[in-house]
Amino acid sequence: MIDKNAKIFIAGHCGMVGSAILRKFEAEGYINLITRTREELDLRRQEAVEQFYAAEKPEYVIAAAARVGGIDANLKHRAEFLLENTQIQNNLIYRAYLNGVKKLCFLGSSCIYPAASPQPIREEYLLTGPLEPTNEGYALAKIAGYKLGYYLHEQYGFNVISLMPCNLYGTNDHFDYENSHVLSALVRRFCDAVDSGAKTVICWGTGAARREFLHVDDLADAVYFLMEKWERPEFINVGSGVDISIRELAGLIARLTGFAGGIEWDHSKPDGMLRKCMDVSKITAAGWKPEVSLEDGITRLIAEYRKRKKDI
Ligand SMILES: NC(=O)c1ccc[n+]([C@@H]2O[C@H](COP(=O)([O-])OP(=O)(O)OC[C@H]3O[C@@H](n4cnc5c(N)ncnc54)[C@H](OP(=O)(O)O)[C@@H]3O)[C@@H](O)[C@H]2O)c1
């Protein structure tokens, strides 16, 4: 059990994942949670991160800060996704080790797996084939972050856990077209179509790609569970273990938003990896499972978008 007074640094607490983790730890009664906005601490800056660790002396670190984006941003900015993410995670992980942090949680992504992975994707498929080109820069950074933690454990006994979540969605997600992921982008398109009375919604790709989704509150619950119970440096998949085609997802969101028009598919846009569904038997065997159904989670996200729409 982590002491409720322990100093826990949640890096990236303004983001979708970090804010969910902050809410979860607050709800569990933790009273010494440390946060910094990007303006207060740019995690790409090694010296600033070193000074922060030396001054604050966090005992636990949850690394939920990263440059994150949808397929379009990933394709256009592969250099920045590789560079900024390696800078952020190198500083967070290596400086945590140097400053005596008791345990660090690194958040990777299911993008780390080879594009042609057999499905469902098991943890041991890492580095068994070429990556999906659309998010290669991001994936390479995530693999490097995981390996850095793993090697620090192997060489010096640093206590690090790494989680590879599937596609996440939920509270505080991005809805802007540059940075949003598929689910929130579809929620926006369908809500806007209902509001404007549009007869058709155009969606990217062919709709054939299949993805696995997890509500961010479930991910935060998994982080909490694994910070308490998981002590292995080998990474662990975190997901629902169930996938859905983008075509089916669009149909579900259309129904939940009340959109009654037609859906067209823009085949000039990429699908990304054809299928991405993880094997979650390792985390299931550890005793964790998600609670939020896709339909409930999307219903909540639609309500949030409608509330936030005027500010986006
Ligand atoms: N979203 C998903 O579907 C998904 C899936 C799997 C894994 N993950 C992982 O979960 C983690 C969080 O993702 P997310 O979806 O929560 O992303 P997000 O909403 O974009 O949040 C990322 C956070 O990191 C902060 N950040 C970025 N660069 C920074 C810098 N240089 N210095 C300080 N802070 C910086 C951002 O600050 P600002 O608020 O100032 O921008 C933001 O608060 C990432 O490691 C990601 O790889 C996400």
Side-chain angles (χ1 to χ4, degrees):
M1 277 289 276
I2 300 177
D3 193 287
K4 301 282 185 203
N5 294 309
K7 280 185 127 183
I8 306 176
F9 175 39
I10 301 173
H13 75 289
C14 297
M16 177 177 71
V17 170
S19 59
I21 295 171
L22 182 65
R23 287 194 302 277
K24 173 70 185 169
F25 276 77
E26 280 172 348
E28 293 292 337
Y30 285 84
I31 53 171
N32 253 325
L33 301 172
I34 308 170
T35 57
R36 290 289 185 278
T37 62
R38 183 201 296 257
E39 289 68 36
E40 290 163 344
L41 177 63
D42 185 337
L43 295 165
R44 292 170 300 184
R45 294 181 50 229
Q46 182 179 313
E47 223 175 286
V49 176
E50 176 56 43
Q51 280 167 6
F52 163 78
Y53 272 123
E56 284 291 341
K57 303 236 175 299
E59 297 166 79
Y60 298 88
V61 174
I62 298 167
R67 178 160 180 156
V68 179
I71 200 165
D72 194 39
N74 262 283
L75 255 177
K76 280 190 194 140
H77 303 289
R78 292 205 295 183
E80 289 80 7
F81 275 86
L82 176 60
L83 183 66
E84 290 183 29
N85 284 321
T86 45
Q87 286 171 326
I88 292 169
Q89 68 206 25
N90 285 350
N91 291 336
L92 276 174
I93 299 171
Y94 187 55
R95 303 282 136 189
Y97 156 66
L98 291 181
N99 285 278
V101 165
K102 289 182 188 163
K103 186 170 185 176
L104 179 141
C105 172
F106 174 66
L107 285 167
S109 153
S110 58
C111 300
I112 57 159
Y113 287 113
S117 290
Q119 306 284 325
I121 311 174
R122 299 174 62 86
E123 283 89 350
E124 57 264 33
Y125 299 162
L126 179 71
L127 293 175
T128 54
L131 298 165
E132 159 63 36
T134 45
N135 51 34
E136 191 185 77
Y138 177 71
L140 285 169
K142 291 292 179 187
I143 294 171
Y146 160 60
K147 287 289 183 183
L148 176 62
Y150 185 85
Y151 297 152
L152 287 171
H153 172 86
E154 204 178 42
Q155 288 175 234
Y156 309 112
F158 182 49
N159 189 4
V160 58
I161 59 170
S162 293
L163 281 54
M164 298 301 156
C166 64
N167 286 55
L168 304 171
Y169 72 100
T171 315
N172 284 336
D173 207 348
H174 298 276
F175 288 106
D176 60 290
Y177 286 124
E178 169 81 349
N179 290 308
S180 60
H181 292 98
V182 60
L183 198 150
S184 48
L186 288 175
V187 163
R188 177 176 183 168
R189 271 168 212 263
F190 283 101
C191 285
D192 289 356
V194 170
D195 291 352
S196 68
K199 298 272 172 292
T200 313
V201 166
I202 299 170
C203 300
W204 280 25
T206 64
R210 301 185 69 84
R211 290 292 179 271
E212 175 189 4
F213 294 97
L214 185 73
H215 194 276
V216 73
D217 287 352
D218 276 333
L219 189 266
D221 189 60
V223 168
Y224 179 71
F225 173 85
L226 295 168
M227 278 300 277
E228 290 276 356
K229 302 227 167 20
W230 190 249
E231 294 288 338
R232 301 222 37 94
E234 298 85 12
F235 71 86
I236 185 163
N237 288 343
V238 185
S240 59
V242 179
D243 63 352
I244 179 172
S245 77
I246 301 302
R247 187 176 291 272
E248 289 164 330
L249 180 69
L252 175 62
I253 295 174
R255 174 166 70 75
L256 294 174
T257 52
F259 176 73
I263 303 175
E264 281 176 19
W265 294 91
D266 178 356
H267 290 212
S268 70
K269 301 291 187 193
D271 276 331
M273 216 163 129
L274 204 55
R275 192 171 174 216
K276 210 157 59 163
C277 186
M278 296 195 298
D279 180 303
V280 290
S281 45
K282 203 165 157 181
I283 193 166
T284 308
W288 182 86
K289 63 174 177 43
E291 297 289 340
V292 185
S293 74
L294 188 59
E295 188 155 335
D296 283 353
I298 292 173
T299 304
R300 278 157 61 178
L301 190 65
I302 290 168
E304 182 185 334
Y305 175 65
R306 288 189 164 141
K307 223 189 222 166
R308 281 173 53 194
K309 182 174 171 173
K310 60 177 182 342
D311 306 318
I312 291 169

